[in-house]
mmCIF file of all heavy atoms in Angstrom:
data_model
loop_
_atom_site.group_PDB
_atom_site.id
_atom_site.type_symbol
_atom_site.label_atom_id
_atom_site.label_comp_id
_atom_site.label_asym_id
_atom_site.label_seq_id
_atom_site.Cartn_x
_atom_site.Cartn_y
_atom_site.Cartn_z
ATOM 1 N N MET G 27 -80.567 -1.053 -36.563
ATOM 2 C CA MET G 27 -80.769 -2.091 -35.611
ATOM 3 C C MET G 27 -82.249 -2.342 -35.323
ATOM 4 O O MET G 27 -83.015 -1.387 -35.116
ATOM 5 C CB MET G 27 -80.044 -1.644 -34.355
ATOM 6 C CG MET G 27 -80.202 -2.684 -33.211
ATOM 7 S SD MET G 27 -79.394 -2.287 -31.618
ATOM 8 C CE MET G 27 -77.727 -1.972 -32.113
ATOM 9 N N PRO G 28 -82.678 -3.573 -35.383
ATOM 10 C CA PRO G 28 -84.156 -3.811 -35.157
ATOM 11 C C PRO G 28 -84.591 -3.258 -33.790
ATOM 12 O O PRO G 28 -83.929 -3.324 -32.839
ATOM 13 C CB PRO G 28 -84.229 -5.348 -35.251
ATOM 14 C CG PRO G 28 -83.073 -5.764 -35.931
ATOM 15 C CD PRO G 28 -81.989 -4.761 -35.660
ATOM 16 N N ALA G 29 -85.784 -2.764 -33.809
ATOM 17 C CA ALA G 29 -86.359 -2.241 -32.606
ATOM 18 C C ALA G 29 -86.524 -3.197 -31.487
ATOM 19 O O ALA G 29 -86.409 -2.900 -30.290
ATOM 20 C CB ALA G 29 -87.735 -1.556 -32.908
ATOM 21 N N ILE G 30 -86.741 -4.500 -31.821
ATOM 22 C CA ILE G 30 -86.905 -5.490 -30.760
ATOM 23 C C ILE G 30 -85.626 -5.738 -30.024
ATOM 24 O O ILE G 30 -85.792 -5.882 -28.770
ATOM 25 C CB ILE G 30 -87.444 -6.796 -31.429
ATOM 26 C CG1 ILE G 30 -87.878 -7.769 -30.321
ATOM 27 C CG2 ILE G 30 -86.413 -7.465 -32.277
ATOM 28 C CD1 ILE G 30 -89.200 -7.494 -29.683
ATOM 29 N N LEU G 31 -84.507 -5.592 -30.592
ATOM 30 C CA LEU G 31 -83.237 -5.752 -29.882
ATOM 31 C C LEU G 31 -83.042 -4.600 -28.920
ATOM 32 O O LEU G 31 -82.561 -4.781 -27.796
ATOM 33 C CB LEU G 31 -82.108 -5.829 -30.888
ATOM 34 C CG LEU G 31 -81.975 -7.048 -31.715
ATOM 35 C CD1 LEU G 31 -80.819 -6.968 -32.653
ATOM 36 C CD2 LEU G 31 -81.825 -8.325 -30.848
ATOM 37 N N VAL G 32 -83.459 -3.417 -29.261
ATOM 38 C CA VAL G 32 -83.317 -2.236 -28.404
ATOM 39 C C VAL G 32 -84.272 -2.423 -27.154
ATOM 40 O O VAL G 32 -83.911 -2.201 -26.094
ATOM 41 C CB VAL G 32 -83.550 -0.963 -29.069
ATOM 42 C CG1 VAL G 32 -83.552 0.171 -28.170
ATOM 43 C CG2 VAL G 32 -82.563 -0.778 -30.214
ATOM 44 N N GLN G 33 -85.468 -2.886 -27.425
ATOM 45 C CA GLN G 33 -86.452 -3.114 -26.321
ATOM 46 C C GLN G 33 -85.965 -4.223 -25.421
ATOM 47 O O GLN G 33 -86.117 -4.124 -24.194
ATOM 48 C CB GLN G 33 -87.765 -3.514 -26.912
ATOM 49 C CG GLN G 33 -88.448 -2.260 -27.569
ATOM 50 C CD GLN G 33 -89.831 -2.603 -28.161
ATOM 51 O OE1 GLN G 33 -90.150 -3.786 -28.397
ATOM 52 N NE2 GLN G 33 -90.597 -1.566 -28.330
ATOM 53 N N ILE G 34 -85.342 -5.268 -25.952
ATOM 54 C CA ILE G 34 -84.804 -6.324 -25.182
ATOM 55 C C ILE G 34 -83.654 -5.857 -24.205
ATOM 56 O O ILE G 34 -83.596 -6.146 -23.028
ATOM 57 C CB ILE G 34 -84.339 -7.585 -25.993
ATOM 58 C CG1 ILE G 34 -85.622 -8.328 -26.536
ATOM 59 C CG2 ILE G 34 -83.496 -8.533 -25.190
ATOM 60 C CD1 ILE G 34 -85.230 -9.298 -27.581
ATOM 61 N N ALA G 35 -82.849 -4.933 -24.750
ATOM 62 C CA ALA G 35 -81.689 -4.372 -24.096
ATOM 63 C C ALA G 35 -82.280 -3.566 -22.927
ATOM 64 O O ALA G 35 -81.791 -3.580 -21.779
ATOM 65 C CB ALA G 35 -80.863 -3.533 -24.990
ATOM 66 N N PHE G 36 -83.272 -2.773 -23.229
ATOM 67 C CA PHE G 36 -83.941 -1.931 -22.182
ATOM 68 C C PHE G 36 -84.533 -2.806 -21.067
ATOM 69 O O PHE G 36 -84.400 -2.496 -19.887
ATOM 70 C CB PHE G 36 -85.061 -1.059 -22.786
ATOM 71 C CG PHE G 36 -84.498 0.196 -23.420
ATOM 72 C CD1 PHE G 36 -85.200 0.614 -24.647
ATOM 73 C CD2 PHE G 36 -83.554 0.896 -22.946
ATOM 74 C CE1 PHE G 36 -84.808 1.722 -25.290
ATOM 75 C CE2 PHE G 36 -83.121 2.053 -23.591
ATOM 76 C CZ PHE G 36 -83.792 2.441 -24.810
ATOM 77 N N ILE G 37 -85.173 -3.982 -21.431
ATOM 78 C CA ILE G 37 -85.730 -4.834 -20.440
ATOM 79 C C ILE G 37 -84.618 -5.463 -19.512
ATOM 80 O O ILE G 37 -84.756 -5.486 -18.318
ATOM 81 C CB ILE G 37 -86.539 -5.925 -21.049
ATOM 82 C CG1 ILE G 37 -87.780 -5.315 -21.710
ATOM 83 C CG2 ILE G 37 -86.847 -7.002 -20.120
ATOM 84 C CD1 ILE G 37 -88.611 -6.269 -22.525
ATOM 85 N N ILE G 38 -83.454 -5.758 -20.165
ATOM 86 C CA ILE G 38 -82.343 -6.388 -19.459
ATOM 87 C C ILE G 38 -81.755 -5.381 -18.441
ATOM 88 O O ILE G 38 -81.584 -5.819 -17.309
ATOM 89 C CB ILE G 38 -81.277 -6.958 -20.375
ATOM 90 C CG1 ILE G 38 -81.874 -8.158 -21.195
ATOM 91 C CG2 ILE G 38 -80.008 -7.333 -19.604
ATOM 92 C CD1 ILE G 38 -80.972 -8.655 -22.263
ATOM 93 N N VAL G 39 -81.598 -4.216 -18.851
ATOM 94 C CA VAL G 39 -81.005 -3.232 -18.048
ATOM 95 C C VAL G 39 -82.083 -2.922 -16.858
ATOM 96 O O VAL G 39 -81.611 -2.691 -15.747
ATOM 97 C CB VAL G 39 -80.687 -1.884 -18.850
ATOM 98 C CG1 VAL G 39 -80.225 -0.750 -17.965
ATOM 99 C CG2 VAL G 39 -79.540 -2.171 -19.754
ATOM 100 N N PHE G 40 -83.321 -2.792 -17.176
ATOM 101 C CA PHE G 40 -84.273 -2.536 -16.192
ATOM 102 C C PHE G 40 -84.367 -3.598 -15.106
ATOM 103 O O PHE G 40 -84.340 -3.339 -13.879
ATOM 104 C CB PHE G 40 -85.712 -2.323 -16.829
ATOM 105 C CG PHE G 40 -86.816 -2.258 -15.850
ATOM 106 C CD1 PHE G 40 -86.907 -0.918 -15.176
ATOM 107 C CD2 PHE G 40 -87.704 -3.134 -15.476
ATOM 108 C CE1 PHE G 40 -87.999 -0.718 -14.329
ATOM 109 C CE2 PHE G 40 -88.686 -2.958 -14.650
ATOM 110 C CZ PHE G 40 -88.783 -1.785 -13.971
ATOM 111 N N VAL G 41 -84.400 -4.860 -15.546
ATOM 112 C CA VAL G 41 -84.420 -5.950 -14.559
ATOM 113 C C VAL G 41 -83.109 -6.025 -13.759
ATOM 114 O O VAL G 41 -83.163 -6.227 -12.514
ATOM 115 C CB VAL G 41 -84.592 -7.319 -15.342
ATOM 116 C CG1 VAL G 41 -84.417 -8.457 -14.420
ATOM 117 C CG2 VAL G 41 -86.003 -7.334 -15.959
ATOM 118 N N TRP G 42 -81.988 -5.785 -14.370
ATOM 119 C CA TRP G 42 -80.741 -5.697 -13.640
ATOM 120 C C TRP G 42 -80.762 -4.602 -12.552
ATOM 121 O O TRP G 42 -80.365 -4.880 -11.431
ATOM 122 C CB TRP G 42 -79.582 -5.580 -14.634
ATOM 123 C CG TRP G 42 -78.281 -5.274 -13.789
ATOM 124 C CD1 TRP G 42 -77.497 -6.196 -13.341
ATOM 125 C CD2 TRP G 42 -77.664 -4.028 -13.546
ATOM 126 N NE1 TRP G 42 -76.355 -5.475 -12.743
ATOM 127 C CE2 TRP G 42 -76.494 -4.224 -12.899
ATOM 128 C CE3 TRP G 42 -78.014 -2.667 -13.813
ATOM 129 C CZ2 TRP G 42 -75.617 -3.188 -12.412
ATOM 130 C CZ3 TRP G 42 -77.203 -1.711 -13.440
ATOM 131 C CH2 TRP G 42 -75.955 -1.901 -12.658
ATOM 132 N N SER G 43 -81.221 -3.501 -12.947
ATOM 133 C CA SER G 43 -81.226 -2.301 -11.981
ATOM 134 C C SER G 43 -82.210 -2.688 -10.804
ATOM 135 O O SER G 43 -81.954 -2.275 -9.723
ATOM 136 C CB SER G 43 -81.617 -1.056 -12.628
ATOM 137 O OG SER G 43 -82.862 -1.103 -13.194
ATOM 138 N N ILE G 44 -83.291 -3.248 -11.079
ATOM 139 C CA ILE G 44 -84.220 -3.633 -10.009
ATOM 140 C C ILE G 44 -83.649 -4.694 -9.121
ATOM 141 O O ILE G 44 -83.763 -4.658 -7.878
ATOM 142 C CB ILE G 44 -85.617 -4.124 -10.565
ATOM 143 C CG1 ILE G 44 -86.302 -2.991 -11.359
ATOM 144 C CG2 ILE G 44 -86.485 -4.753 -9.491
ATOM 145 C CD1 ILE G 44 -86.725 -1.797 -10.467
ATOM 146 N N VAL G 45 -82.938 -5.634 -9.665
ATOM 147 C CA VAL G 45 -82.383 -6.786 -8.820
ATOM 148 C C VAL G 45 -81.280 -6.112 -7.923
ATOM 149 O O VAL G 45 -81.218 -6.345 -6.751
ATOM 150 C CB VAL G 45 -81.705 -7.836 -9.747
ATOM 151 C CG1 VAL G 45 -80.863 -8.710 -8.947
ATOM 152 C CG2 VAL G 45 -82.880 -8.609 -10.394
ATOM 153 N N MET G 46 -80.453 -5.194 -8.457
ATOM 154 C CA MET G 46 -79.475 -4.541 -7.768
ATOM 155 C C MET G 46 -80.064 -3.578 -6.645
ATOM 156 O O MET G 46 -79.499 -3.541 -5.518
ATOM 157 C CB MET G 46 -78.552 -3.699 -8.598
ATOM 158 C CG MET G 46 -77.730 -4.571 -9.674
ATOM 159 S SD MET G 46 -76.689 -5.822 -8.805
ATOM 160 C CE MET G 46 -75.547 -4.794 -7.915
ATOM 161 N N LEU G 47 -81.181 -2.952 -6.981
ATOM 162 C CA LEU G 47 -81.783 -2.201 -5.965
ATOM 163 C C LEU G 47 -82.340 -2.968 -4.873
ATOM 164 O O LEU G 47 -82.250 -2.516 -3.595
ATOM 165 C CB LEU G 47 -83.014 -1.373 -6.704
ATOM 166 C CG LEU G 47 -83.759 -0.321 -5.873
ATOM 167 C CD1 LEU G 47 -82.887 0.699 -5.329
ATOM 168 C CD2 LEU G 47 -84.900 0.144 -6.681
ATOM 169 N N VAL G 48 -82.939 -4.109 -5.101
ATOM 170 C CA VAL G 48 -83.416 -4.958 -4.086
ATOM 171 C C VAL G 48 -82.278 -5.393 -3.179
ATOM 172 O O VAL G 48 -82.380 -5.487 -1.962
ATOM 173 C CB VAL G 48 -84.224 -6.083 -4.636
ATOM 174 C CG1 VAL G 48 -84.586 -7.157 -3.607
ATOM 175 C CG2 VAL G 48 -85.534 -5.675 -5.274
ATOM 176 N N GLN G 49 -81.180 -5.780 -3.783
ATOM 177 C CA GLN G 49 -79.983 -6.215 -3.049
ATOM 178 C C GLN G 49 -79.446 -5.087 -2.217
ATOM 179 O O GLN G 49 -79.108 -5.313 -1.083
ATOM 180 C CB GLN G 49 -78.830 -6.815 -4.014
ATOM 181 C CG GLN G 49 -79.292 -8.112 -4.583
ATOM 182 C CD GLN G 49 -78.145 -8.601 -5.523
ATOM 183 O OE1 GLN G 49 -77.155 -7.945 -5.673
ATOM 184 N NE2 GLN G 49 -78.353 -9.779 -6.066
ATOM 185 N N ASP G 50 -79.391 -3.847 -2.761
ATOM 186 C CA ASP G 50 -78.924 -2.757 -1.975
ATOM 187 C C ASP G 50 -79.795 -2.525 -0.811
ATOM 188 O O ASP G 50 -79.371 -2.117 0.282
ATOM 189 C CB ASP G 50 -78.868 -1.520 -2.843
ATOM 190 C CG ASP G 50 -77.727 -1.604 -3.808
ATOM 191 O OD1 ASP G 50 -76.826 -2.292 -3.709
ATOM 192 O OD2 ASP G 50 -77.809 -0.721 -4.853
ATOM 193 N N LEU G 51 -81.142 -2.642 -0.948
ATOM 194 C CA LEU G 51 -82.050 -2.383 0.161
ATOM 195 C C LEU G 51 -82.007 -3.383 1.253
ATOM 196 O O LEU G 51 -82.423 -3.156 2.334
ATOM 197 C CB LEU G 51 -83.399 -2.150 -0.354
ATOM 198 C CG LEU G 51 -83.647 -0.897 -1.215
ATOM 199 C CD1 LEU G 51 -85.004 -0.894 -1.808
ATOM 200 C CD2 LEU G 51 -83.394 0.377 -0.350
ATOM 201 N N LYS G 52 -81.626 -4.625 0.925
ATOM 202 C CA LYS G 52 -81.440 -5.707 1.917
ATOM 203 C C LYS G 52 -80.348 -5.537 3.005
ATOM 204 O O LYS G 52 -80.379 -6.102 3.981
ATOM 205 C CB LYS G 52 -81.319 -7.068 1.266
ATOM 206 C CG LYS G 52 -82.600 -7.533 0.550
ATOM 207 C CD LYS G 52 -82.409 -8.902 0.063
ATOM 208 C CE LYS G 52 -83.764 -9.453 -0.508
ATOM 209 N NZ LYS G 52 -83.517 -10.847 -1.161
ATOM 210 N N VAL G 53 -79.292 -4.731 2.484
ATOM 211 C CA VAL G 53 -78.105 -4.607 3.337
ATOM 212 C C VAL G 53 -78.462 -3.736 4.495
ATOM 213 O O VAL G 53 -79.190 -2.775 4.400
ATOM 214 C CB VAL G 53 -76.921 -4.079 2.549
ATOM 215 C CG1 VAL G 53 -75.752 -3.735 3.410
ATOM 216 C CG2 VAL G 53 -76.633 -4.875 1.359
ATOM 217 N N SER G 54 -77.919 -4.111 5.743
ATOM 218 C CA SER G 54 -78.266 -3.291 6.853
ATOM 219 C C SER G 54 -77.616 -1.829 6.849
ATOM 220 O O SER G 54 -78.321 -0.969 7.192
ATOM 221 C CB SER G 54 -77.818 -4.014 8.165
ATOM 222 O OG SER G 54 -76.467 -4.188 8.106
ATOM 223 N N ARG G 55 -76.406 -1.819 6.362
ATOM 224 C CA ARG G 55 -75.823 -0.410 6.236
ATOM 225 C C ARG G 55 -75.850 -0.043 4.719
ATOM 226 O O ARG G 55 -75.073 -0.553 4.023
ATOM 227 C CB ARG G 55 -74.343 -0.569 6.750
ATOM 228 C CG ARG G 55 -73.732 0.802 6.837
ATOM 229 C CD ARG G 55 -72.326 0.727 7.414
ATOM 230 N NE ARG G 55 -71.713 2.001 7.713
ATOM 231 C CZ ARG G 55 -71.257 2.783 6.823
ATOM 232 N NH1 ARG G 55 -71.146 2.412 5.485
ATOM 233 N NH2 ARG G 55 -70.662 3.996 7.126
ATOM 234 N N LYS G 56 -76.851 0.696 4.404
ATOM 235 C CA LYS G 56 -77.032 1.058 2.995
ATOM 236 C C LYS G 56 -76.106 2.116 2.468
ATOM 237 O O LYS G 56 -75.787 3.049 3.225
ATOM 238 C CB LYS G 56 -78.506 1.521 2.826
ATOM 239 C CG LYS G 56 -79.506 0.375 3.106
ATOM 240 C CD LYS G 56 -80.924 0.886 3.182
ATOM 241 C CE LYS G 56 -81.959 -0.108 3.573
ATOM 242 N NZ LYS G 56 -81.594 -0.856 4.692
ATOM 243 N N GLU G 57 -75.675 1.907 1.304
ATOM 244 C CA GLU G 57 -75.003 2.986 0.546
ATOM 245 C C GLU G 57 -75.930 3.613 -0.278
ATOM 246 O O GLU G 57 -76.366 3.191 -1.346
ATOM 247 C CB GLU G 57 -73.776 2.320 -0.265
ATOM 248 C CG GLU G 57 -72.813 1.687 0.580
ATOM 249 C CD GLU G 57 -71.587 1.238 -0.254
ATOM 250 O OE1 GLU G 57 -71.276 1.738 -1.326
ATOM 251 O OE2 GLU G 57 -70.904 0.223 0.295
ATOM 252 N N TRP G 58 -76.417 4.808 0.120
ATOM 253 C CA TRP G 58 -77.539 5.450 -0.506
ATOM 254 C C TRP G 58 -77.187 5.995 -1.933
ATOM 255 O O TRP G 58 -78.103 6.058 -2.749
ATOM 256 C CB TRP G 58 -78.015 6.746 0.406
ATOM 257 C CG TRP G 58 -78.697 6.129 1.634
ATOM 258 C CD1 TRP G 58 -78.171 6.168 2.894
ATOM 259 C CD2 TRP G 58 -79.878 5.449 1.660
ATOM 260 N NE1 TRP G 58 -79.102 5.533 3.779
ATOM 261 C CE2 TRP G 58 -80.149 5.100 2.976
ATOM 262 C CE3 TRP G 58 -80.927 5.117 0.699
ATOM 263 C CZ2 TRP G 58 -81.279 4.397 3.420
ATOM 264 C CZ3 TRP G 58 -81.968 4.454 1.109
ATOM 265 C CH2 TRP G 58 -82.240 4.132 2.494
ATOM 266 N N LEU G 59 -75.942 6.225 -2.220
ATOM 267 C CA LEU G 59 -75.666 6.654 -3.591
ATOM 268 C C LEU G 59 -75.902 5.449 -4.497
ATOM 269 O O LEU G 59 -76.429 5.705 -5.573
ATOM 270 C CB LEU G 59 -74.168 7.089 -3.672
ATOM 271 C CG LEU G 59 -73.714 7.819 -4.921
ATOM 272 C CD1 LEU G 59 -74.652 9.032 -5.187
ATOM 273 C CD2 LEU G 59 -72.363 8.171 -4.912
ATOM 274 N N ASN G 60 -75.527 4.259 -4.188
ATOM 275 C CA ASN G 60 -75.826 3.079 -5.040
ATOM 276 C C ASN G 60 -77.315 2.913 -5.151
ATOM 277 O O ASN G 60 -77.857 2.529 -6.216
ATOM 278 C CB ASN G 60 -75.104 1.849 -4.401
ATOM 279 C CG ASN G 60 -73.640 1.834 -4.722
ATOM 280 O OD1 ASN G 60 -73.180 2.547 -5.497
ATOM 281 N ND2 ASN G 60 -72.987 0.984 -3.980
ATOM 282 N N VAL G 61 -78.068 3.001 -4.028
ATOM 283 C CA VAL G 61 -79.521 2.862 -4.078
ATOM 284 C C VAL G 61 -80.100 3.872 -5.126
ATOM 285 O O VAL G 61 -80.885 3.568 -5.890
ATOM 286 C CB VAL G 61 -80.119 2.995 -2.643
ATOM 287 C CG1 VAL G 61 -81.655 3.074 -2.735
ATOM 288 C CG2 VAL G 61 -79.721 2.003 -1.758
ATOM 289 N N LEU G 62 -79.674 5.162 -4.987
ATOM 290 C CA LEU G 62 -80.257 6.183 -5.894
ATOM 291 C C LEU G 62 -79.788 5.924 -7.336
ATOM 292 O O LEU G 62 -80.607 6.120 -8.259
ATOM 293 C CB LEU G 62 -79.741 7.527 -5.442
ATOM 294 C CG LEU G 62 -80.331 8.035 -4.105
ATOM 295 C CD1 LEU G 62 -79.678 9.334 -3.727
ATOM 296 C CD2 LEU G 62 -81.801 8.138 -4.124
ATOM 297 N N LEU G 63 -78.619 5.467 -7.572
ATOM 298 C CA LEU G 63 -78.192 5.135 -8.885
ATOM 299 C C LEU G 63 -78.899 4.056 -9.527
ATOM 300 O O LEU G 63 -79.464 4.234 -10.622
ATOM 301 C CB LEU G 63 -76.655 4.742 -8.892
ATOM 302 C CG LEU G 63 -76.045 4.143 -10.151
ATOM 303 C CD1 LEU G 63 -75.984 5.311 -11.228
ATOM 304 C CD2 LEU G 63 -74.797 3.499 -9.939
ATOM 305 N N HIS G 64 -79.191 3.026 -8.817
ATOM 306 C CA HIS G 64 -79.977 1.835 -9.395
ATOM 307 C C HIS G 64 -81.426 2.235 -9.599
ATOM 308 O O HIS G 64 -82.042 1.839 -10.541
ATOM 309 C CB HIS G 64 -79.902 0.603 -8.537
ATOM 310 C CG HIS G 64 -78.427 0.016 -8.534
ATOM 311 N ND1 HIS G 64 -77.770 -0.226 -7.398
ATOM 312 C CD2 HIS G 64 -77.612 -0.169 -9.578
ATOM 313 C CE1 HIS G 64 -76.584 -0.636 -7.682
ATOM 314 N NE2 HIS G 64 -76.464 -0.628 -9.052
ATOM 315 N N ALA G 65 -81.997 3.087 -8.705
ATOM 316 C CA ALA G 65 -83.348 3.597 -8.845
ATOM 317 C C ALA G 65 -83.490 4.456 -10.117
ATOM 318 O O ALA G 65 -84.440 4.329 -10.876
ATOM 319 C CB ALA G 65 -83.871 4.297 -7.657
ATOM 320 N N ALA G 66 -82.367 5.366 -10.247
ATOM 321 C CA ALA G 66 -82.415 6.196 -11.452
ATOM 322 C C ALA G 66 -82.286 5.469 -12.731
ATOM 323 O O ALA G 66 -83.002 5.735 -13.704
ATOM 324 C CB ALA G 66 -81.280 7.265 -11.312
ATOM 325 N N VAL G 67 -81.451 4.455 -12.760
ATOM 326 C CA VAL G 67 -81.284 3.652 -13.925
ATOM 327 C C VAL G 67 -82.626 2.940 -14.239
ATOM 328 O O VAL G 67 -83.000 2.848 -15.457
ATOM 329 C CB VAL G 67 -80.164 2.681 -13.829
ATOM 330 C CG1 VAL G 67 -80.135 1.594 -14.965
ATOM 331 C CG2 VAL G 67 -78.818 3.352 -13.724
ATOM 332 N N ALA G 68 -83.297 2.447 -13.282
ATOM 333 C CA ALA G 68 -84.606 1.721 -13.532
ATOM 334 C C ALA G 68 -85.591 2.724 -14.061
ATOM 335 O O ALA G 68 -86.326 2.310 -15.028
ATOM 336 C CB ALA G 68 -85.088 1.103 -12.115
ATOM 337 N N VAL G 69 -85.685 3.912 -13.518
ATOM 338 C CA VAL G 69 -86.681 4.931 -13.946
ATOM 339 C C VAL G 69 -86.328 5.323 -15.431
ATOM 340 O O VAL G 69 -87.292 5.345 -16.291
ATOM 341 C CB VAL G 69 -86.702 6.091 -13.069
ATOM 342 C CG1 VAL G 69 -87.526 7.287 -13.636
ATOM 343 C CG2 VAL G 69 -87.286 5.746 -11.732
ATOM 344 N N ILE G 70 -85.111 5.585 -15.679
ATOM 345 C CA ILE G 70 -84.704 6.028 -17.092
ATOM 346 C C ILE G 70 -84.990 4.905 -18.066
ATOM 347 O O ILE G 70 -85.570 5.238 -19.228
ATOM 348 C CB ILE G 70 -83.279 6.423 -17.068
ATOM 349 C CG1 ILE G 70 -83.141 7.739 -16.319
ATOM 350 C CG2 ILE G 70 -82.727 6.652 -18.496
ATOM 351 C CD1 ILE G 70 -81.740 8.175 -15.919
ATOM 352 N N THR G 71 -84.581 3.698 -17.802
ATOM 353 C CA THR G 71 -84.859 2.642 -18.796
ATOM 354 C C THR G 71 -86.282 2.399 -18.984
ATOM 355 O O THR G 71 -86.677 2.041 -20.105
ATOM 356 C CB THR G 71 -84.055 1.324 -18.362
ATOM 357 O OG1 THR G 71 -84.517 0.976 -17.019
ATOM 358 C CG2 THR G 71 -82.573 1.541 -18.460
ATOM 359 N N LEU G 72 -87.041 2.393 -17.941
ATOM 360 C CA LEU G 72 -88.499 2.264 -18.075
ATOM 361 C C LEU G 72 -89.134 3.411 -18.954
ATOM 362 O O LEU G 72 -89.908 3.082 -19.845
ATOM 363 C CB LEU G 72 -89.197 2.232 -16.666
ATOM 364 C CG LEU G 72 -90.671 1.986 -16.644
ATOM 365 C CD1 LEU G 72 -90.966 0.578 -17.292
ATOM 366 C CD2 LEU G 72 -91.224 2.057 -15.293
ATOM 367 N N HIS G 73 -88.633 4.569 -18.716
ATOM 368 C CA HIS G 73 -89.114 5.687 -19.572
ATOM 369 C C HIS G 73 -88.803 5.474 -21.100
ATOM 370 O O HIS G 73 -89.592 5.615 -21.944
ATOM 371 C CB HIS G 73 -88.510 7.017 -19.134
ATOM 372 C CG HIS G 73 -88.735 8.132 -19.960
ATOM 373 N ND1 HIS G 73 -89.953 8.721 -19.998
ATOM 374 C CD2 HIS G 73 -87.938 8.777 -20.858
ATOM 375 C CE1 HIS G 73 -89.852 9.710 -21.048
ATOM 376 N NE2 HIS G 73 -88.743 9.794 -21.510
ATOM 377 N N PHE G 74 -87.517 5.122 -21.317
ATOM 378 C CA PHE G 74 -87.126 4.886 -22.761
ATOM 379 C C PHE G 74 -87.847 3.683 -23.322
ATOM 380 O O PHE G 74 -88.207 3.640 -24.422
ATOM 381 C CB PHE G 74 -85.558 4.738 -22.814
ATOM 382 C CG PHE G 74 -84.866 5.977 -22.841
ATOM 383 C CD1 PHE G 74 -83.786 6.167 -21.900
ATOM 384 C CD2 PHE G 74 -85.185 7.042 -23.765
ATOM 385 C CE1 PHE G 74 -83.080 7.351 -21.925
ATOM 386 C CE2 PHE G 74 -84.506 8.254 -23.639
ATOM 387 C CZ PHE G 74 -83.426 8.375 -22.757
ATOM 388 N N PHE G 75 -88.023 2.588 -22.519
ATOM 389 C CA PHE G 75 -88.803 1.372 -22.940
ATOM 390 C C PHE G 75 -90.193 1.792 -23.416
ATOM 391 O O PHE G 75 -90.707 1.382 -24.470
ATOM 392 C CB PHE G 75 -88.727 0.362 -21.983
ATOM 393 C CG PHE G 75 -89.522 -0.923 -22.424
ATOM 394 C CD1 PHE G 75 -89.040 -1.768 -23.379
ATOM 395 C CD2 PHE G 75 -90.768 -1.146 -21.825
ATOM 396 C CE1 PHE G 75 -89.738 -2.866 -23.716
ATOM 397 C CE2 PHE G 75 -91.382 -2.243 -22.244
ATOM 398 C CZ PHE G 75 -90.920 -3.088 -23.202
ATOM 399 N N LEU G 76 -90.855 2.561 -22.586
ATOM 400 C CA LEU G 76 -92.275 2.951 -22.829
ATOM 401 C C LEU G 76 -92.396 3.911 -24.018
ATOM 402 O O LEU G 76 -93.340 3.923 -24.762
ATOM 403 C CB LEU G 76 -92.988 3.472 -21.645
ATOM 404 C CG LEU G 76 -93.128 2.490 -20.477
ATOM 405 C CD1 LEU G 76 -93.668 3.147 -19.204
ATOM 406 C CD2 LEU G 76 -93.930 1.313 -20.901
ATOM 407 N N ALA G 77 -91.284 4.770 -24.171
ATOM 408 C CA ALA G 77 -91.379 5.779 -25.237
ATOM 409 C C ALA G 77 -90.921 5.180 -26.569
ATOM 410 O O ALA G 77 -91.215 5.738 -27.662
ATOM 411 C CB ALA G 77 -90.439 6.922 -24.824
ATOM 412 N N TYR G 78 -90.179 4.146 -26.574
ATOM 413 C CA TYR G 78 -89.547 3.540 -27.820
ATOM 414 C C TYR G 78 -90.562 2.826 -28.690
ATOM 415 O O TYR G 78 -91.307 2.160 -28.550
ATOM 416 C CB TYR G 78 -88.396 2.736 -27.448
ATOM 417 C CG TYR G 78 -87.475 2.506 -28.627
ATOM 418 C CD1 TYR G 78 -86.575 3.491 -28.965
ATOM 419 C CD2 TYR G 78 -87.551 1.394 -29.444
ATOM 420 C CE1 TYR G 78 -85.654 3.325 -30.023
ATOM 421 C CE2 TYR G 78 -86.654 1.155 -30.530
ATOM 422 C CZ TYR G 78 -85.786 2.121 -30.821
ATOM 423 O OH TYR G 78 -84.979 1.971 -31.896
#
């Protein structure tokens, strides 16, 4: 699989997780497990994107 497709996939997952994280933080009654999940996905995808 071409490397550019993998990088695009990492970018899509990163952007999605950031959008979900912002939406989670806007809610008055936060579900902290969802906030932590989306933050973790953002960190992991950013790490893989920079390492790939």
Side-chain angles (χ1 to χ4, degrees):
M27 179 179 304
I30 190 72
L31 290 178
V32 175
Q33 290 180 340
I34 290 171
F36 281 140
I37 291 172
I38 290 170
V39 173
F40 177 75
V41 169
W42 172 81
S43 63
I44 293 297
V45 168
M46 294 304 293
L47 183 62
V48 169
Q49 287 180 358
D50 287 343
L51 291 174
K52 285 184 178 180
V53 177
S54 62
R55 188 175 189 281
K56 295 170 183 50
E57 295 184 24
W58 289 106
L59 192 57
N60 284 342
V61 171
L62 293 175
L63 171 69
H64 294 129
V67 170
V69 169
I70 290 169
T71 55
L72 184 62
H73 170 73
F74 280 127
F75 177 72
L76 295 176
Y78 199 81

